[in-house]
Amino acid sequence: MKKILIANRGEIACRIIRSCRALGLKTVAVYSEADANAKHVDEADEAIAIGPAAAKESYLVADKVLAAANEAGADAVHPGYGFLAENEGFARAVAEAGMIWIGPRPETIADMGDKERARLLAHGAGVPIVPGSPRFMVNDNAGLEAAGDEVGFPLLVKATAGGGGIGMKRVDAAEDLLATVETTQNMAEKAFGDGAVYLEKLIDQPRHIEIQVFGFGDGGAVHFFERECSIQRRFQKIIEESPAPGLKREIRDAMATAALALTKQERYRGAGTIEFILAPDGQFFFLEMNTRIQVEHPVTEMTTGEDLVGLQLRLARGEEVSKLQQDSIASHGHAIECRIYAENPAKNFLPSPGPLDVYSPPSQGGGIRVDTGVRQGDQVTYFYDPMIAKLITHGVERDVAIEKMLAALDDFRIEGIVTNIPFLKRVLTHPAYLGGRTHTGFVDEHKDDLFKE
Amino acid sequence: MAEQVMTQAPGNVWKVLVKEGDSVAAGDTLFILEVMKTEVPHEAESAGTVTKLHIAEEDAVDVGQLALEIG
């Protein structure tokens, strides 16, 4: 394995290039017409155009990415996150073309991509799951009323093919259930080509805590502790940290044990994340497993000192990373990540594309890390995700990491587009955040403080 | 009271949920843009009838563009 095609763009493509370079691997970037001059294209050893700006005509077209890999003579494909990262068909096609897929087996991707099947597998591994219903298909909602009563209200209607908050609706009362189920089914059928939904009990004021795992593909696996990702907007994370503030050691250990049980049961290969929701009473439940490197992986890299992308690459090229022992992995200090978005929080987080007239991130080192996919003068286009950078700080304690983050956000200068930086500062200085009183409804609960003029 | 509905951001028209001649109530979703992978719904501020539709699904639109008129 000498040459890696990176089937992605933006900060994660740049991030993967960095680890490839450290391991002496050549890199091939792919790019759409909108990204011809993008940072990831400059930084890769080679770059191949794969079509128009719209992702569904370029980054999401498996055949085009595969053709680029063949053309470049790549030995392996790293998908990053998003786009084709959790596309079972693409993973299979890469392997069938004789290349190494840097990710879990296609069957694992399929199993975990189907949220209901994933729940059953988790349950089989002894991982607690949130009370839920069987699936309901479009125009076949017989038994829905009884299922709703059994799960109990409030509940969530979730598309089995969904994820990342897409295809998810809250229902507070039985009389609204059918209408919401039908709307969600229609939406899911249009968006994912699969209209099936299921019901899940809604846990009030839950925290979102996830365990970073790494499987060796032979039933062996280690974990790299937890990340708390409760600060979200529109079901998407904006601030992540590790350790989770105030989390009792026995709960953390129980979560890690459960996560490892599922990882080992699936003979999981590579980096993965098992997401849990933690109820205020200390009970935790399986949410989903993400079969890829996660956006917030740098938090874990800062606390454990491990290069997780490097580990993926080393496993893929046949190094004996399975020698890695759990007791050699330790977490030090506290790390926080802020996602820098091109969006306007005051207008319901309306995306804000435009020119980066000024783009000057804080300098790195001394516990400050910036993962970025853009440069001054670039255009932030409306075709892709609004996240333009990640800022990560590390300190001996949470207070120190927060102080560093606030200073680094002050140093982060961006002009030409609206960003969420002022909003992030309001969250980080809010008494409830400082007190570790986080839950996934945090932004909504404190909206009067966070959105004031 | 006539209402002109403008696009709130540049993006692609993902879904148009009304057609010319439809009656709408205040708060009804008229169309949804896809902007940076985010759904941006546009709602009617006033009740009335859709008199003119200036956009179609899959159109690329700019910010502040006239999308539809309610009479």
Side-chain angles (χ1 to χ4, degrees):
Chain A
M1 189 175 102
K2 296 201 164 51
K3 196 191 259 193
I4 315 294
L5 179 124
I6 298 159
N8 218 299
R9 63 179 302 282
E11 67 85 17
I12 192 63
C14 299
R15 160 75 190 89
I16 295 164
I17 290 169
R18 215 160 57 233
S19 282
C20 286
R21 195 152 287 159
L23 291 167
L25 298 163
K26 294 277 183 207
T27 53
V28 185
V30 291
Y31 64 96
S32 73
E33 281 167 18
D35 281 341
N37 299 309
K39 185 168 182 275
H40 77 283
V41 172
D42 270 6
E43 291 182 354
D45 297 306
E46 295 171 48
I48 294 177
I50 51 164
K56 63 175 188 274
E57 295 174 54
S58 51
Y59 296 107
L60 282 169
V61 184
D63 289 347
K64 288 186 180 178
V65 179
L66 207 56
N70 276 317
E71 184 189 329
D75 308 305
V77 173
H78 194 307
Y81 55 72
F83 295 129
L84 297 167
E86 286 163 289
N87 184 315
E88 169 207 3
F90 181 61
R92 192 160 274 141
V94 167
E96 280 167 5
M99 287 177 275
I100 298 165
W101 166 253
I102 303 176
R105 278 185 292 276
E107 308 83 69
T108 316
I109 297 175
D111 282 345
M112 292 302 155
D114 181 321
K115 299 308 167 210
E116 198 205 345
R117 215 184 316 157
R119 272 167 53 85
L120 293 175
L121 290 167
H123 185 62
V127 181
I129 57 172
V130 184
S133 76
R135 64 179 64 195
F136 291 92
M137 317 301 281
V138 179
N139 295 326
D140 187 10
N141 289 321
L144 179 69
E145 205 178 300
D149 290 338
E150 198 183 318
V151 171
F153 293 89
L155 56 77
L156 283 174
V157 177
K158 290 177 137 184
T160 57
I166 300 165
M168 206 156 114
K169 292 263 191 298
R170 178 190 171 121
V171 182
D172 289 292
E175 61 259 34
D176 302 327
L177 182 59
L178 181 60
T180 307
V181 163
E182 286 175 347
T183 314
T184 313
Q185 285 169 333
N186 289 334
M187 204 283 296
E189 188 156 52
K190 283 177 194 151
F192 315 118
D194 176 1
V197 303
Y198 65 98
L199 314 180
E200 197 173 271
K201 184 164 179 57
L202 189 133
I203 312 285
D204 209 29
Q205 300 219 330
R207 290 168 74 181
H208 175 123
I209 295 179
E210 60 190 28
I211 304 287
Q212 174 72 53
V213 294
F214 196 95
F216 307 123
D218 60 0
V222 289
H223 73 83
F224 289 86
F225 304 97
E226 84 282 17
R227 291 184 292 259
E228 163 141 30
C229 314
S230 298
I231 308 293
Q232 308 182 351
R233 56 110 179 94
R234 278 201 262 100
F235 297 111
Q236 287 212 318
K237 302 161 187 169
I238 49 176
I239 298 174
E240 300 101 340
E241 63 187 295
S242 185
L247 181 64
K248 288 201 185 86
R249 176 171 287 265
E250 58 265 32
I251 297 176
R252 198 249 322 252
D253 290 348
M255 279 181 165
T257 302
L260 276 184
L262 179 58
T263 309
K264 289 177 176 173
Q265 172 186 281
E266 299 307 300
R267 302 173 68 80
Y268 190 83
R269 185 178 74 200
T273 298
I274 297 179
E275 299 187 336
F276 294 102
I277 56 173
L278 175 67
D281 64 4
Q283 286 193 85
F284 63 88
F285 305 98
F286 174 78
L287 195 57
E288 62 180 16
M289 179 171 196
N290 296 312
T291 53
R292 52 168 153 73
I293 192 77
Q294 198 98 336
V295 172
E296 58 272 24
H297 75 276
V299 168
T300 301
E301 295 186 327
M302 295 290 260
T303 51
T304 64
E306 186 62 64
D307 175 351
L308 292 168
V309 174
L311 204 55
Q312 289 184 300
L313 296 167
R314 288 166 50 210
L315 178 71
R317 75 174 178 192
E319 285 184 38
E320 285 187 45
V321 296
S322 60
K323 284 184 178 156
L324 191 59
Q325 297 289 317
Q326 185 65 58
D327 56 18
S328 69
I329 301 166
S331 174
H332 300 285
H334 197 101
I336 303 178
E337 171 180 280
C338 283
R339 300 190 187 188
I340 313 296
Y341 280 100
E343 67 182 15
N344 188 344
K347 287 188 178 170
N348 195 25
F349 302 98
L350 184 68
S352 163
L356 286 169
D357 298 330
V358 174
Y359 183 79
S360 172
S363 45
Q364 302 199 60
I368 295 175
R369 167 173 167 179
V370 188
D371 282 21
T372 188
V374 295
R375 297 156 303 193
Q376 184 157 302
D378 285 355
Q379 195 76 23
V380 180
T381 63
Y382 67 77
F383 300 105
Y384 313 113
D385 193 277
M387 193 186 77
I388 54 174
K390 303 182 306 205
L391 179 58
I392 309 101
T393 58
H394 183 253
V396 288
E397 283 173 14
R398 186 171 190 254
D399 297 357
V400 180
I402 293 172
E403 281 305 314
K404 274 193 195 178
M405 181 60 78
L406 287 167
L409 286 168
D410 275 338
D411 285 346
F412 211 139
R413 287 182 51 235
I414 301 176
E415 287 172 27
I417 58 166
V418 181
T419 76
N420 65 337
I421 288 176
F423 182 78
L424 291 167
K425 286 197 239 175
R426 283 183 195 172
V427 174
L428 292 167
T429 51
H430 194 281
Y433 178 78
L434 294 170
R437 295 188 298 281
T438 54
H439 62 93
T440 58
F442 182 95
V443 169
D444 196 46
E445 183 189 352
H446 301 292
K447 60 178 182 284
D448 292 346
D449 302 325
L450 299 175
F451 296 100
K452 68 185 173 210
E453 286 306 311
Chain B
M1 183 68 188
E3 179 185 344
Q4 293 192 319
V5 182
M6 312 298 233
T7 55
Q8 294 168 22
N12 278 303
V13 180
W14 184 49
K15 294 270 177 260
V16 179
L17 305 172
V18 294
K19 52 187 189 304
E20 286 176 11
D22 281 3
S23 324
V24 295
D28 281 2
T29 302
L30 304 167
F31 61 95
I32 305 170
L33 295 188
E34 187 191 352
V35 186
M36 299 172 123
K37 283 171 58 191
T38 307
E39 291 167 32
V40 181
H42 287 59
E43 287 152 9
E45 280 178 19
S46 50
T49 305
V50 178
T51 53
K52 186 85 188 140
L53 197 57
H54 297 276
I55 54 165
E57 287 180 8
E58 305 208 352
D59 280 1
V61 294
D62 206 343
V63 62
Q65 190 174 320
L66 179 59
L68 62 82
E69 294 168 63
I70 298 171

